[in-house]
Amino acid sequence: ARADGLAARAEMYAAATLASDARQKLAGALAQWRILTGLPPLADPTERTGATGAEHPELALVAAVAVDAHKRLELSRANRSEPPELTFRMRQESPGAGLPAVNSIGVGLRIPFGTPDRNLPREAAARAEADVARAAETRSREKLESDVKIARDALAAAEEQQAVEKARAELLSERAALFEKSFRVGETSLPDLLRATLASAQARAGFARQQAAAGLAKARLHQSLGLLP
């Protein structure tokens, strides 16, 4: 019995070492989060689900570029000639010594007459720019939709695995409790109890890891939607 007790105590110390290491890693991760974002730690990454209806920032940017290119195209179609020019001229002449200076003022107005052919190169360039912007918007939209679908599928798989790990942890915890009751009445040996307790602890740890994986999958989904994690 003493040998079993020493083995159990050694396992306890090993578990305490792992717990201390995990706390240090968590503190380091939280410090990096604050440095990178300037935000306090998130309470629970699994709380937020779905989109808020806001457009993805990347998609909003390419859409704005497409709108701007389309407006330039419309402007090039509307402007068939150069703008009118108004000129103002003042002239001062001095004929010679003893003679009065001669001042003159002139005003000129230039109205260009445009033709359809004059604006064709500018309109073609604007049309090409608008087509490129529209194609870029379409590609960005398709890519983001694909990223969102992949992230949703990954989240669904992670949540399904999380449910499996939770059920497994509950079953092994109940089994460990039964072994403990049996040990108290002398029907189960200490090694068997320790093995059952270890299996239960490992199952709970697996469930915790899967919870973290599901939280990461949800954070990636939010990122694909253009939201904070």
Side-chain angles (χ1 to χ4, degrees):
R2 177 167 176 77
D4 292 337
L6 293 175
R9 184 170 300 179
E11 291 291 337
M12 180 189 69
Y13 288 145
T17 300
L18 292 176
S20 176
D21 183 59
R23 284 193 294 269
Q24 291 178 0
K25 291 181 179 179
L26 175 60
L30 293 177
Q32 290 180 354
W33 168 264
R34 285 191 292 268
I35 292 173
L36 290 174
T37 65
L39 301 174
L42 298 177
D44 185 359
T46 64
E47 289 180 356
R48 296 176 61 183
T49 56
T52 62
E55 191 173 31
H56 194 287
E58 181 181 346
L59 187 59
L61 176 61
V62 294
V65 172
V67 170
D68 184 62
H70 184 69
K71 288 182 179 179
R72 284 197 294 271
L73 175 60
E74 292 180 346
L75 182 62
S76 66
R77 289 173 176 173
N79 292 336
R80 294 296 180 180
S81 63
E82 296 290 344
E85 295 180 3
L86 177 65
T87 58
F88 178 79
R89 182 181 63 184
M90 183 177 66
R91 185 174 182 180
Q92 185 177 34
E93 296 180 352
S94 179
L99 297 177
V102 178
N103 299 324
S104 62
I105 297 176
V107 177
L109 178 63
R110 178 176 176 271
I111 303 179
F113 292 96
T115 62
D117 295 338
R118 169 199 165 275
N119 214 34
L120 286 180
R122 185 179 302 175
E123 183 177 342
R127 185 183 296 110
E129 185 180 357
D131 291 341
V132 171
R134 192 179 303 111
E137 180 184 5
T138 301
R139 287 195 302 270
S140 296
R141 189 179 299 276
E142 292 175 350
K143 178 181 180 300
L144 291 174
E145 289 176 353
S146 176
D147 291 344
V148 169
K149 183 180 184 304
I150 292 173
R152 289 190 189 279
D153 292 342
L155 176 59
E159 289 180 339
E160 181 179 356
Q161 185 64 30
Q162 178 183 346
V164 172
E165 290 291 340
K166 180 181 180 181
R168 177 172 177 270
E170 290 175 349
L171 290 175
L172 290 179
S173 294
E174 183 178 356
R175 177 175 177 268
L178 294 176
F179 267 75
E180 184 177 0
K181 290 180 180 179
S182 177
F183 173 75
R184 291 180 184 277
V185 297
E187 296 178 356
T188 300
S189 65
L190 180 58
D192 290 338
L193 173 61
L194 292 178
R195 282 193 290 269
T197 304
L198 177 61
S200 176
Q202 290 175 340
R204 290 196 303 270
F207 173 57
R209 285 193 297 270
Q210 194 56 42
Q211 275 187 310
L216 179 59
K218 186 163 292 185
R220 288 173 175 167
L221 173 61
H222 291 161
Q223 183 180 7
S224 67
L225 292 169
L227 306 174
L228 285 174

